[in-house]
Amino acid sequence: MNILDQIIEVKHKEVAAASEVHSVSELENSALFNRTCFSLKASITQPGASGIIAEFKRKSPSKGFIQEHADAATITADYTNFGASGISVLTDFTFFGGTTADLDAARLNDIPLLRKDFMIHPYQIVEAKAMGADVILLIAACLTVDEVKSMAAFAHSIGLEVLLEIHDEAELKHICTNIDLVGVNNRNLKTFEVDINRSLKLAQQIPAHIIKVAESGISDMDTLLRLKDAGFQGFLMGENFMKATDPGLAFKNFINQLHPS
């Protein structure tokens, strides 16, 4: 069983357990459920935007803890203040060390928030809205074409935007009407190997009207500029900043390279 299969097996159990604790109606009546979401599409495409979706990430299945005791409030505030176009927050605990509390802390900022998790059931979409997320991630490798269509439509119906993540040409068929952004993950979720050429190869095959987001393996300005030249407007970056002693400062320094004063 590969890493992705292990994650999905655990996720089914977690969703079943969570739905026993909080019903859909409880989530729909929560304080944040009816808030108007921020648009990640608008944030990425506004003039002068960095396009960077800065990620708060405690650990990964392949490398273990990166910043086990990182302060989500401080780091996400720094990301916001120094020019992120959006913030991604891992909420998977078992494999990535994330929690709902991390997203709660990030919600203190007026910036689009992506709930990054392995979405396999509509319940998680309701959860995301109740948490204060603005965008959900749907991973093509975890879902059928029909599941992506139905889950994306449901997300839109409650005001969330949708980032579809693909990794290869076969997954292009998952792109549908209710997809707002398409991310190309340069990391193979089955082996966790990274190849930046994934994004460069798939860029021209994604419909021109959809915002393209490059994910994983972006650690220097040259790579980001290559991706921008290939048509990418969004860049999801996490480990590059989180592995630094001060992730906020690492992000600020990167932004200063992108937009020298």
Side-chain angles (χ1 to χ4, degrees), residues 76-181:
T76 59
D78 286 344
Y79 286 165
T80 303
N81 294 333
F82 295 138
S85 290
I87 293 173
S88 169
V89 180
L90 269 298
T91 56
D92 173 85
F93 177 74
T94 304
F95 296 92
F96 290 88
T99 66
T100 300
D102 291 335
L103 198 140
D104 289 341
R107 183 66 285 156
L108 297 174
N109 303 289
D110 291 334
I111 190 171
L113 295 185
L114 166 68
R115 181 195 181 186
K116 194 173 183 188
D117 211 316
F118 295 81
M119 298 287 190
I120 56 164
H121 194 280
Y123 179 86
Q124 294 165 287
I125 300 174
V126 179
E127 262 188 336
K129 189 68 160 59
M131 289 177 188
D134 303 291
V135 191
I136 61 159
L137 178 71
L138 296 181
I139 302 173
C142 302
L143 302 164
T144 66
V145 170
D146 287 342
E147 285 172 335
V148 168
K149 286 181 180 178
S150 63
M151 291 175 75
F154 177 58
H156 268 207
S157 75
I158 60 173
L160 294 164
E161 289 185 344
V162 180
L163 169 62
L164 172 68
E165 177 179 296
I166 65 173
H167 180 69
D168 57 34
E169 291 182 358
E171 293 173 351
L172 288 163
K173 65 181 181 291
H174 286 71
I175 299 173
C176 58
T177 304
N178 289 300
I179 298 302
D180 299 288
L181 313 98

